[in-house]
Amino acid sequence: MNIEAVKSIYFFEMARTRRTLLQSVVSPVISTSLYFIVFGAAIGARIQEIDGVSYGAFITPGLMMLTLLTQCIGNGSFGIYFPKFTGTIYEVLSSPISMLEIVLGYVGAAATKGLMIGTIILATASLFVDLSIAHPFVMVFFFVLTAITFSLFGFIIGIWAKDFEQLNLIPMLVVPPLVFLGGSFYSIDMLPPFWRAVSHFNPVLYLISGFRWSFFEISDVNPVASAVIILVFLTVCMSVLTWIFHTGYRLRN
């Protein structure tokens, strides 16, 4: 294991966060505050509680997941796409660095950024609502596993994308609707039977439900099923990356 190579890639990517501090940190905090003002005040005035949990506290795990998925996919995809765009990826590929070391550097940095922003969102949320975490170790498990999995997913998107339009396609047009329709701001038990059944085909529902269970011990689906879904998706992402590096798909062309 070439630790120095992993550290070089990791710290180079982390330095980009410091250079774009306003966009990386301040923007998510402002967005979260606006969510609490709009949803917490406007809708919370009409929906006092869901399953015994205040509405403001109920939407906190969903907001954290929305931010975590967006940040991890965005950072993971841009981290590998930009070297492709500038041509510096060939320096990385020609250096004595293994596939594992490249992935550890880029994906590790993307996951770290997502976890940092997610933690900031949690701290911001605690200023608006009273939060308690019933199972902190389970919360950390879901938090970290989701960050790693979707950073890998973002890494794959960055390799697949041919231009900036494709790069932003999934993070901007696919992920937010799935999160909003995945029970971020409501329980699917509030939906009619047909739409409740349809919601179970949304994979993000399982992420949010498992994460919410670690806070309040309430969930729309079994938290074990949530963990299994994430682990399966992680395995798929790792398999796809192995194939990409083995074939050189959109890396060596």
Side-chain angles (χ1 to χ4, degrees):
M1 175 70 73
N2 190 340
I3 301 297
E4 291 302 318
V6 176
K7 287 169 57 179
S8 297
I9 296 173
Y10 177 86
F11 286 115
F12 178 81
E13 286 299 303
M14 292 303 296
R16 183 156 51 84
T17 302
R18 293 193 295 271
R19 293 194 297 269
T20 58
L21 193 63
L22 187 66
Q23 175 186 351
S24 301
V25 178
V26 178
S27 178
V29 171
I30 294 176
S31 299
T32 302
S33 301
L34 290 175
Y35 276 121
F36 274 106
I37 293 171
V38 174
F39 286 93
I43 300 178
R46 294 167 174 78
I47 305 175
Q48 296 294 328
E49 292 184 348
I50 297 180
D51 293 333
V53 178
S54 68
Y55 184 74
F58 181 87
I59 66 175
T60 298
L63 286 175
M64 290 180 65
M65 275 295 160
L66 172 62
T67 304
L68 187 66
L69 297 187
T70 304
Q71 290 289 324
C72 287
I73 293 176
N75 288 317
S77 59
F78 188 81
I80 189 64
Y81 177 80
F82 194 71
K84 279 179 53 187
F85 180 75
T86 58
T88 56
I89 186 64
Y90 299 112
E91 297 178 8
V92 177
L93 294 175
S94 62
S95 61
I97 308 175
S98 67
M99 176 200 78
L100 177 61
E101 292 158 356
I102 294 173
V103 172
L104 283 177
Y106 282 109
V107 173
T112 301
K113 295 175 193 176
L115 292 171
M116 287 170 53
I117 301 301
T119 304
I120 292 173
I121 297 303
L122 179 61
T124 303
S126 64
L127 299 177
F128 292 89
V129 295
D130 292 327
L131 284 174
S132 61
I133 303 175
H135 303 280
F137 291 106
V138 177
M139 188 273 269
V140 172
F141 169 79
F142 276 110
F143 198 36
V144 174
L145 190 62
T146 301
I148 294 173
T149 301
F150 281 87
S151 294
L152 279 170
F153 183 52
F155 191 80
I156 294 171
I157 294 172
I159 295 174
W160 165 78
K162 291 183 178 180
D163 50 41
F164 283 99
E165 183 179 359
Q166 288 186 346
L167 185 69
N168 292 314
L169 181 65
I170 294 178
M172 294 292 101
L173 296 181
V174 177
V175 173
L178 288 178
V179 174
F180 277 97
L181 298 174
S184 298
F185 303 105
Y186 58 89
S187 170
I188 64 169
D189 291 335
M190 302 167 67
L191 299 175
F194 173 78
W195 292 110
R196 191 183 310 157
V198 170
S199 296
H200 282 87
F201 291 96
N202 183 353
V204 178
L205 170 68
Y206 297 87
L207 306 181
I208 295 174
S209 293
F211 194 55
R212 181 173 287 134
W213 182 86
S214 69
F215 279 79
F216 313 118
E217 293 187 323
I218 58 173
S219 176
D220 291 319
V221 297
N222 191 318
V224 176
S226 300
V228 170
I229 290 294
I230 302 176
L231 290 171
V232 168
F233 190 53
L234 174 63
T235 303
V236 171
C237 289
M238 292 175 65
S239 301
V240 171
L241 271 178
T242 301
W243 174 80
I244 286 174
F245 277 93
H246 180 72
T247 61
Y249 173 75
R250 293 197 177 177
L251 283 176
R252 301 192 180 113
N253 295 335

